PDB file of all heavy atoms in Angstrom:
ATOM      1  N   ARG A 325      -5.068   5.869  18.893  1.00  0.00           N
ATOM      2  CA  ARG A 325      -4.864   4.451  19.212  1.00  0.00           C
ATOM      3  C   ARG A 325      -5.921   3.542  18.591  1.00  0.00           C
ATOM      4  O   ARG A 325      -5.606   2.476  18.060  1.00  0.00           O
ATOM      5  CB  ARG A 325      -4.819   4.254  20.729  1.00  0.00           C
ATOM      6  CG  ARG A 325      -4.385   2.835  21.110  1.00  0.00           C
ATOM      7  CD  ARG A 325      -4.019   2.699  22.553  1.00  0.00           C
ATOM      8  NE  ARG A 325      -3.541   1.345  22.831  1.00  0.00           N
ATOM      9  CZ  ARG A 325      -2.299   0.921  22.645  1.00  0.00           C
ATOM     10  NH1 ARG A 325      -1.393   1.767  22.192  1.00  0.00           N
ATOM     11  NH2 ARG A 325      -1.942  -0.316  22.913  1.00  0.00           N
ATOM     12  N   GLU A 326      -7.188   3.939  18.634  1.00  0.00           N
ATOM     13  CA  GLU A 326      -8.239   3.088  18.070  1.00  0.00           C
ATOM     14  C   GLU A 326      -8.069   2.934  16.567  1.00  0.00           C
ATOM     15  O   GLU A 326      -8.217   1.842  16.018  1.00  0.00           O
ATOM     16  CB  GLU A 326      -9.621   3.658  18.402  1.00  0.00           C
ATOM     17  CG  GLU A 326     -10.008   3.498  19.874  1.00  0.00           C
ATOM     18  CD  GLU A 326     -11.440   3.938  20.132  1.00  0.00           C
ATOM     19  OE1 GLU A 326     -12.208   4.113  19.163  1.00  0.00           O
ATOM     20  OE2 GLU A 326     -11.786   4.122  21.312  1.00  0.00           O
ATOM     21  N   LYS A 327      -7.772   4.045  15.896  1.00  0.00           N
ATOM     22  CA  LYS A 327      -7.555   3.975  14.442  1.00  0.00           C
ATOM     23  C   LYS A 327      -6.296   3.175  14.128  1.00  0.00           C
ATOM     24  O   LYS A 327      -6.235   2.446  13.127  1.00  0.00           O
ATOM     25  CB  LYS A 327      -7.461   5.380  13.856  1.00  0.00           C
ATOM     26  CG  LYS A 327      -8.769   6.150  13.922  1.00  0.00           C
ATOM     27  CD  LYS A 327      -8.605   7.564  13.388  1.00  0.00           C
ATOM     28  CE  LYS A 327      -9.917   8.345  13.517  1.00  0.00           C
ATOM     29  NZ  LYS A 327      -9.761   9.749  13.058  1.00  0.00           N
ATOM     30  N   TRP A 328      -5.285   3.321  14.963  1.00  0.00           N
ATOM     31  CA  TRP A 328      -4.041   2.561  14.787  1.00  0.00           C
ATOM     32  C   TRP A 328      -4.326   1.061  14.837  1.00  0.00           C
ATOM     33  O   TRP A 328      -3.909   0.309  13.938  1.00  0.00           O
ATOM     34  CB  TRP A 328      -3.059   2.983  15.879  1.00  0.00           C
ATOM     35  CG  TRP A 328      -1.716   2.309  15.848  1.00  0.00           C
ATOM     36  CD1 TRP A 328      -0.946   2.054  14.754  1.00  0.00           C
ATOM     37  CD2 TRP A 328      -0.985   1.820  16.982  1.00  0.00           C
ATOM     38  NE1 TRP A 328       0.238   1.447  15.120  1.00  0.00           N
ATOM     39  CE2 TRP A 328       0.233   1.286  16.473  1.00  0.00           C
ATOM     40  CE3 TRP A 328      -1.230   1.792  18.352  1.00  0.00           C
ATOM     41  CZ2 TRP A 328       1.187   0.728  17.327  1.00  0.00           C
ATOM     42  CZ3 TRP A 328      -0.267   1.250  19.184  1.00  0.00           C
ATOM     43  CH2 TRP A 328       0.922   0.720  18.681  1.00  0.00           C
ATOM     44  N   ARG A 329      -5.053   0.623  15.864  1.00  0.00           N
ATOM     45  CA  ARG A 329      -5.397  -0.800  15.960  1.00  0.00           C
ATOM     46  C   ARG A 329      -6.257  -1.231  14.780  1.00  0.00           C
ATOM     47  O   ARG A 329      -6.129  -2.358  14.272  1.00  0.00           O
ATOM     48  CB  ARG A 329      -6.130  -1.079  17.278  1.00  0.00           C
ATOM     49  CG  ARG A 329      -5.270  -0.950  18.525  1.00  0.00           C
ATOM     50  CD  ARG A 329      -6.034  -1.381  19.767  1.00  0.00           C
ATOM     51  NE  ARG A 329      -6.212  -2.823  19.784  1.00  0.00           N
ATOM     52  CZ  ARG A 329      -5.519  -3.658  20.550  1.00  0.00           C
ATOM     53  NH1 ARG A 329      -4.589  -3.198  21.367  1.00  0.00           N
ATOM     54  NH2 ARG A 329      -5.742  -4.952  20.513  1.00  0.00           N
ATOM     55  N   ALA A 330      -7.156  -0.339  14.337  1.00  0.00           N
ATOM     56  CA  ALA A 330      -8.048  -0.678  13.219  1.00  0.00           C
ATOM     57  C   ALA A 330      -7.277  -0.909  11.927  1.00  0.00           C
ATOM     58  O   ALA A 330      -7.679  -1.730  11.095  1.00  0.00           O
ATOM     59  CB  ALA A 330      -9.090   0.422  13.026  1.00  0.00           C
ATOM     60  N   THR A 331      -6.151  -0.202  11.739  1.00  0.00           N
ATOM     61  CA  THR A 331      -5.369  -0.408  10.522  1.00  0.00           C
ATOM     62  C   THR A 331      -4.758  -1.806  10.473  1.00  0.00           C
ATOM     63  O   THR A 331      -4.471  -2.331   9.397  1.00  0.00           O
ATOM     64  CB  THR A 331      -4.243   0.646  10.390  1.00  0.00           C
ATOM     65  OG1 THR A 331      -3.349   0.555  11.506  1.00  0.00           O
ATOM     66  CG2 THR A 331      -4.814   2.050  10.284  1.00  0.00           C
ATOM     67  N   PHE A 332      -4.557  -2.428  11.632  1.00  0.00           N
ATOM     68  CA  PHE A 332      -4.096  -3.817  11.685  1.00  0.00           C
ATOM     69  C   PHE A 332      -5.266  -4.790  11.582  1.00  0.00           C
ATOM     70  O   PHE A 332      -5.169  -5.836  10.938  1.00  0.00           O
ATOM     71  CB  PHE A 332      -3.349  -4.086  13.005  1.00  0.00           C
ATOM     72  CG  PHE A 332      -2.003  -3.439  13.108  1.00  0.00           C
ATOM     73  CD1 PHE A 332      -1.863  -2.154  13.608  1.00  0.00           C
ATOM     74  CD2 PHE A 332      -0.856  -4.113  12.700  1.00  0.00           C
ATOM     75  CE1 PHE A 332      -0.621  -1.543  13.707  1.00  0.00           C
ATOM     76  CE2 PHE A 332       0.399  -3.517  12.798  1.00  0.00           C
ATOM     77  CZ  PHE A 332       0.515  -2.230  13.300  1.00  0.00           C
ATOM     78  N   ALA A 333      -6.373  -4.452  12.237  1.00  0.00           N
ATOM     79  CA  ALA A 333      -7.506  -5.381  12.324  1.00  0.00           C
ATOM     80  C   ALA A 333      -8.257  -5.518  11.008  1.00  0.00           C
ATOM     81  O   ALA A 333      -8.717  -6.611  10.657  1.00  0.00           O
ATOM     82  CB  ALA A 333      -8.460  -4.920  13.422  1.00  0.00           C
ATOM     83  N   THR A 334      -8.398  -4.425  10.257  1.00  0.00           N
ATOM     84  CA  THR A 334      -9.227  -4.460   9.050  1.00  0.00           C
ATOM     85  C   THR A 334      -8.698  -5.426   7.993  1.00  0.00           C
ATOM     86  O   THR A 334      -9.482  -6.195   7.417  1.00  0.00           O
ATOM     87  CB  THR A 334      -9.391  -3.041   8.476  1.00  0.00           C
ATOM     88  OG1 THR A 334      -9.885  -2.174   9.506  1.00  0.00           O
ATOM     89  CG2 THR A 334     -10.378  -3.038   7.315  1.00  0.00           C
ATOM     90  N   PRO A 335      -7.393  -5.451   7.698  1.00  0.00           N
ATOM     91  CA  PRO A 335      -6.904  -6.464   6.747  1.00  0.00           C
ATOM     92  C   PRO A 335      -7.163  -7.894   7.210  1.00  0.00           C
ATOM     93  O   PRO A 335      -7.401  -8.784   6.383  1.00  0.00           O
ATOM     94  CB  PRO A 335      -5.400  -6.172   6.659  1.00  0.00           C
ATOM     95  CG  PRO A 335      -5.255  -4.758   7.078  1.00  0.00           C
ATOM     96  CD  PRO A 335      -6.311  -4.543   8.114  1.00  0.00           C
ATOM     97  N   VAL A 336      -7.119  -8.131   8.517  1.00  0.00           N
ATOM     98  CA  VAL A 336      -7.407  -9.471   9.049  1.00  0.00           C
ATOM     99  C   VAL A 336      -8.876  -9.827   8.801  1.00  0.00           C
ATOM    100  O   VAL A 336      -9.209 -10.958   8.432  1.00  0.00           O
ATOM    101  CB  VAL A 336      -7.066  -9.550  10.548  1.00  0.00           C
ATOM    102  CG1 VAL A 336      -7.541 -10.863  11.150  1.00  0.00           C
ATOM    103  CG2 VAL A 336      -5.557  -9.391  10.761  1.00  0.00           C
TER     104      VAL A 336
END
Side-chain angles (χ1 to χ4, degrees):
R325 189 166 183 84
E326 288 186 14
K327 293 177 182 177
W328 180 43
R329 291 186 72 104
T331 60
F332 289 89
T334 306
V336 172

